[in-house]
Amino acid sequence: MGEKTASSKPPAAAQTRAAQLRELLARHDRLYYIEDRPEISDYDYDQLYRELADIEQRYPALQTSDSPTRRVGGAPLPAFRPVRYRRPMLSLANTYNRDELGDFCARLARLVPEGGYSFVVEPKIDGVAVSLRYEDGLLALGSSRGNGEVGDDITANLRTIRSIPLRLAVASPPAVLEVRGEVYLPRAEFAALNRARAAAGEPEFANPRNAAAGSLKLLDAREVAMRPLAAIFYGCGETSGLELLEHAQLLRYLRAAGLPTPPRYWECPDLPSLLAAVDALPSVRAEFPFETDGAVIKLNQRQLYERLGVTSKSPRWAVAYKYAPSRAATRLRGITLQVGRTGALTPVAELAPVALAGSTIERATLHNADEIARRDIRVGDLVTVEKAGDVIPAVTAVDTAARTGAEKPFVMPDHCPACGGSISRRPGEIAWRCENLHCPAQVKRWILYFAGRDAMDIENLGEALTDQLVDRGLVKDPVDLYQLTAQALAGLDRLGPKSADNLLAGIAASKRRPLSNLIFALGIRHVGLGMARVLERHFDSLDALARADRGQLEGIRDIGPVAAASMAEYFAAPRTVSLIRRLHEAGVNLRRLPGTLTADRRFAGRAFVLTGALARMPRAQAEAEIRRRGGRVTSAVSAKTDYAVAGADPGSKLQRALKLGVAVLSEDEFAAMLSGGSAPAPDSGAAPAKETPDLRRPGELPL
């Protein structure tokens, strides 16, 4: 914009534009850093920032103390520290009828044939799972469930809840007591909160659970204190200096210690009394201040917990019994077909909007054409929609008595709605599939699946860009991504040179993903990420896996005949042979990376962001080193980022890391960490690393 003109008075147009830019940048900072819902790309943000910087350079009088160019960033907020649980916070398996509950009791009888056990029935609280850790009776740490193994330190927020004692009300508190429960927003307070938000012009919360979850994510505890949150505790994790033989005894102890516990629970000596309690709970749940959608049944004898053990997701000594799901009646306006990445056509109900379980429902699954025919579902019908044990609403009933004669039966088309190609159904299968392997809808979903985080993790490739790549004929399958050039991308909408370079860099980086990621990315039916990792342990390359016959595959533990047959068929197909050849030619890694099978898990639960050009090792190798030690590599800096590794010319990611107080590592410091060294100290010139309290104690048995 030319040389500085410090002595001249800034023109009115420059003053107005500078004020507009400051307001815009402040708004986008808030959306990105605080609300986690950015509306513009990094490139567009940088253009606004550069325009403001140019104006202020030309007219220094327009610089203000709150200008984004004069400070590190928006209001700096401390990030939540990660907390690793010594004993995972597992979720409960669900049952939906008395027969399934009987199956649970029958399994217990087989596992504990000598009997002598009883049950406790509690209301199932629809809240947000949290943990409190008391040390010598004082509240030392409060955390969210997170992924069950690593949560967030939300101590400051939990301390604002008046029903949570800061000191246990017992004369001789245990050295350690970790209690687990739920934070919720009482029904009456939820209604009042929404009335206040509506009066203030703010969006209302969908339901009490969302309100509680959103409150606990606030980074300013003073704001949390303004929310009338409550809590209930019903279990424990780690303890030291406390032995409780029965669950009912635990509940009584927690109440005596000043912790809120379920307002009502039933001790049941046998299955008939258990069923009676399950039947009695609905009649009293209206008295509870919290929402509840079922009952929790727990074995009373805690000494049996270790013996019974847990599955990968839930304990074997407890189960949830879910009551009848929320239902709503609405009109079926139409039926459309959704084309999946494998070509499967899924009928979707287009509904008149209806409120259900805290959200507005306009679409619901109809499963398949046979189900529509069996239940005689017609366009124009009055139907019942419900959510049962899932977030996906489904049409569950049709009111045939309400028909007027104008309703129209659904007829499965003889062609794909996306490409017009023919459709077919394999013998023994329910789903109809598009036969056109180049169907745009299939290709788009396949590419997005291939580029997903658990697959090839291609940064900067989203749905809108994928639509353009396929619609313009630039990409006909995922391997075509590796042939893209800057020249080919130049004509795409809303994709500037910098964004194009970032996309190409993300595609190039994906060439060195672990073998298990590639296996998963191929989209083989019946092969998920867990099975892909099993296959990686048994085969050192994709070629070796492709040569394996069905018998070899079935001989691997955790791989059944259906998955084995699916893989054998997949790798025998000429299309797959061609695809693997092209992956070779594109330079994609098809082998197990060195060190993949290491037992080193030092980075477990840690999130890394790499920025700038790395000189000591290729970026793909750095990412692989992080992942093989249990860490995660993410594309953007956020409050949950643990480390930013900065190479040459790091760009805006480094600035954002500094804004958020994320630990910044030089390449030398990163290499030292890979070799077993520690994170940089706070006075090392980098931002201090966030501490991860490790609640595990070697040699101790979990309670």
Side-chain angles (χ1 to χ4, degrees), residues 20 34 63 70 72 93 120 152 202 215 240-241 260 274 303 340 349 357 440 488 582 609 675 693 702-703:
Q20 290 174 339
I34 299 175
Q63 293 182 355
R70 296 286 302 274
V72 175
V120 173
D152 287 331
E202 298 176 341
S215 300
S240 177
L274 186 159
Q303 68 269 26
R582 292 168 56 218
V609 168
S675 301
L703 293 176

Side-chain angles (χ1 to χ4, degrees), residues 452-697:
R453 176 166 294 181
D454 291 330
M456 301 305 280
D457 195 14
I458 299 178
E459 296 185 18
N460 306 301
L461 182 60
E463 187 171 350
L465 182 53
T466 298
D467 287 347
Q468 286 196 73
L469 292 173
V470 175
D471 292 343
R472 300 196 183 194
L474 296 175
V475 174
K476 295 182 176 63
D477 64 33
V479 186
D480 283 344
L481 293 170
Y482 297 105
Q483 308 304 321
L484 291 174
T485 63
Q487 183 178 3
L489 296 173
L492 298 183
D493 296 337
R494 298 182 180 180
L495 191 72
K498 182 177 178 181
S499 297
D501 289 344
N502 290 339
L503 173 61
L504 293 174
I507 293 172
S510 75
K511 293 182 179 182
R512 294 295 298 167
R513 298 290 181 245
L515 176 60
S516 59
N517 289 52
L518 175 60
I519 295 171
F520 178 70
L522 294 176
I524 307 169
R525 295 183 68 197
H526 307 297
V527 177
L529 184 58
M531 188 174 293
R533 288 169 177 162
V534 170
L535 293 167
E536 184 182 44
R537 292 198 294 269
H538 285 82
F539 300 98
D540 63 0
S541 69
L542 187 64
D543 292 328
L545 172 59
R547 290 193 298 267
D549 60 30
R550 181 172 173 176
Q552 288 176 277
L553 294 167
E554 284 191 41
I556 299 173
R557 183 180 178 181
D558 298 327
I559 295 182
V562 174
S566 177
M567 283 185 274
E569 179 184 0
Y570 175 84
F571 286 112
R575 184 192 189 195
T576 304
V577 174
S578 173
L579 184 142
I580 293 176
R581 174 183 54 78
R582 292 168 56 218
L583 286 171
H584 269 296
E585 294 170 351
V588 176
N589 170 60
L590 272 66
R591 302 191 65 82
R592 183 197 300 147
L593 294 174
T596 296
L597 305 185
T598 180
D600 183 353
R601 303 291 293 171
R602 287 179 292 117
F603 291 173
R606 301 297 184 111
F608 289 74
V609 168
L610 306 180
T611 178
L614 303 182
R616 295 179 65 109
M617 66 181 72
R619 179 181 290 248
Q621 181 184 346
E623 293 178 352
E625 295 290 344
I626 292 169
R627 288 190 175 96
R628 79 186 187 94
R629 289 167 174 79
R632 295 183 298 111
V633 180
T634 61
S635 60
V637 178
S638 73
K640 294 188 177 182
T641 302
D642 294 285
Y643 297 106
V645 180
D649 301 321
S652 61
K653 289 183 182 179
L654 175 60
Q655 297 303 315
R656 288 177 180 145
L658 294 172
K659 291 176 185 178
L660 292 173
V662 173
V664 178
L665 305 176
S666 67
E667 285 195 73
D668 289 341
E669 289 168 331
F670 176 61
M673 285 183 70
L674 292 178
S675 301
S678 60
D683 60 353
S684 66
K690 288 179 286 187
E691 230 176 44
T692 303
D694 192 337
L695 306 185
R696 296 168 295 177
R697 293 186 179 179

Side-chain angles (χ1 to χ4, degrees), residues 83-91 122 125 128-134 141 143-145 148-151 158 177-183 231-239 247 250-251 254 259-262 298 302 310 315 317 695-696 702-703:
V83 175
R84 176 166 293 280
Y85 292 110
R86 175 177 166 268
R87 178 189 177 193
M89 291 183 70
L90 300 174
S91 57
E122 307 166 4
I125 301 152
V128 181
V130 298
S131 165
L132 300 179
R133 180 183 175 88
Y134 288 88
L141 178 66
S143 50
S144 63
R145 179 181 182 275
E149 294 185 355
V150 178
L158 292 174
L177 173 61
E178 181 203 347
V179 296
R180 293 174 176 178
E182 308 273 334
V183 167
I232 284 184
F233 297 92
Y234 45 66
C236 67
E238 179 186 1
T239 64
H247 180 66
L250 168 66
L251 293 177
L254 295 182
L259 286 154
T261 57
K298 298 176 182 176
R302 293 174 53 81
V310 300
W317 41 264
L695 306 185
R696 296 168 295 177
L703 293 176

